[in-house]
Amino acid sequence: VSVCGWVKTAREANKGAILFVELNDGSTPNNIQVVIDSKAKGFDSLKGQCGTGASLRCTGKVVQSPGGKQAVELLVVDADDAVVLFGGVDAKEYPLAKKHHSHEYLRSIAHLRPRSNYIGCVARVRAALAQATHEFFRSRGFLYVHTPLITAADCEGAGEMFQVTTMIQDMEKEGKNSLPKGADGKTDYTKDFFCKPAFLTVSGQLSVENYCCALSNVYTFGPTFRAENSHTSRHLAEFWMIEPELAFANITDDMDCAEDYLKYCVKYAMDHNREDLDWFDGQIEKGLVARLENLLAEPFGRVTYTEAIEILIKESPTANFLVPVEWGMDLNSEHERHLAEKVMKKPTIVYNYPKDIKAFYMRLNEDEKTVAAMDVLAPGIGE
């Protein structure tokens, strides 16, 4: 059996005649132990070069491991066995040691951070969720639509968009210190690349709605950009967003689709990436796997916005909310989490929001006070 990968750790035994190497090929957070004896071909090439980060190909025999940390190990101990050093590393010079590293430090070694367990697990789970997304919607007859990343439309209407322009570089090339102006004194965008203001998209929704009104159920899945100058874990400058549009459907169909989609993705990750999720549970967030299992165990809770407000008002005396609860407000994270974690104790869908706090294009309900909008609230997260 031949195994290729990168060294996580290496230690010598028997006065350097044996090497115990933990090897990882990136397919899992778990390593395989390789025992390399001096009799194996290529052993001498490892001297001083088999530190953390070195890349090897080891050919030997898989046997049951006598140690308790792994079920099997690879023995490269005979003259017929071999080890090939693709790239040696001096352990003293390698910046990614076998210990916890902060996200800030990992960003400073961007070329190596995918080798960390954290980034590796994130990449594998993210790939699985992307695959699950396409499988879910295609299996239900949705058409995948690619929407523009550069657009003149402000879908959200908030104005928090990254602008795309070539005028600044043109201005610098020409040695000017101001953008071209029109007769009205405003920036003359006819001199720009697109001859009008252009931005990175905040959402593909407006574009994909057009396709929905011609091709029925569709979805878009791609990067979106927000120029919100808020440095929190809930605000990203760039992220991928899934936006389905259902034709000839109502709010119940929408809620059913959202619940089915989330459960499909979670189950897909549990089935295909359990080792990664277990690593997250052990190293990043205790109880994560149990929370995901709870998400799959029973139907999501469903309450109208009005019912949610009534519940939260009753809970207020003991919940000690920082922001008082009243009908018409946009629920804060503390309200959303309390509802999902303390009251419903499971993922919960809140629907039929006041029209004044939702986008203009939401369908107006018969009461003319609320619109057919819904949000999914999850324990530990909120919306």
Side-chain angles (χ1 to χ4, degrees), residues 32-33 35 60-66 70-75:
I32 184 171
Q33 178 169 277
V35 182
K61 303 173 185 65
V62 176
V63 299
Q64 186 174 354
S65 177
Q70 60 276 326
V72 297
E73 61 187 22
L74 182 66
L75 297 184

Side-chain angles (χ1 to χ4, degrees), residues 235-306:
H235 294 83
L236 296 175
E238 177 185 349
F239 59 96
W240 278 56
M241 186 155 62
I242 169 69
E243 297 177 282
E245 292 291 338
L246 287 72
F248 312 108
N250 57 31
I251 188 67
T252 301
D253 299 319
D254 187 27
M255 291 189 289
D256 290 344
C257 180
E259 180 172 347
D260 291 346
Y261 167 67
L262 288 172
K263 287 185 173 181
Y264 186 94
C265 287
V266 169
K267 188 175 188 309
Y268 192 96
M270 294 283 276
D271 290 343
H272 294 82
N273 297 82
R274 185 54 186 260
E275 292 177 334
D276 296 309
L277 296 177
D278 286 340
W279 187 89
F280 284 132
D281 193 291
Q283 302 295 325
I284 304 298
E285 184 177 343
K286 297 289 185 182
L288 171 65
V289 170
R291 187 144 53 88
L292 294 177
E293 290 173 341
N294 180 58
L295 182 147
L296 297 173
E298 57 181 310
F300 288 5
R302 297 188 184 187
V303 294
T304 66
Y305 170 88
T306 299

Side-chain angles (χ1 to χ4, degrees), residues 121-160:
C121 288
V122 168
R124 286 185 293 269
V125 171
R126 180 173 175 142
L129 294 177
Q131 180 70 25
T133 293
H134 291 300
E135 288 185 8
F136 174 84
F137 285 106
R138 290 293 290 180
S139 68
R140 285 157 177 77
F142 283 70
L143 184 70
Y144 180 32
V145 176
H146 296 107
T147 54
L149 297 186
I150 299 176
T151 178
D154 181 1
C155 179
E156 296 289 321
E160 297 165 334

Side-chain angles (χ1 to χ4, degrees), residues 203-247:
S203 168
Q205 184 174 358
L206 289 181
S207 295
V208 82
E209 283 175 348
N210 299 332
Y211 283 85
C212 179
C213 291
L215 305 175
S216 292
N217 294 352
V218 295
Y219 73 103
T220 182
F221 179 45
T224 54
F225 308 86
R226 304 287 173 91
E228 297 177 356
N229 192 21
S230 181
H231 304 287
T232 73
S233 61
R234 296 176 67 88
H235 294 83
L236 296 175
E238 177 185 349
F239 59 96
W240 278 56
M241 186 155 62
I242 169 69
E243 297 177 282
E245 292 291 338
L246 287 72

Side-chain angles (χ1 to χ4, degrees), residues 8 16 39 63 65 85 90 104 109 140 144 152 171 180 191 202 218 260 279 296 298 324 334 351 379-380 383:
K8 286 289 188 176
K39 300 186 188 71
V63 299
S65 177
L85 177 68
D90 183 346
E104 289 74 17
I109 51 169
R140 285 157 177 77
Y144 180 32
M171 179 186 72
K191 308 295 184 183
V202 297
V218 295
D260 291 346
W279 187 89
L296 297 173
E298 57 181 310
E334 61 173 339
Y351 62 101
E383 182 191 351

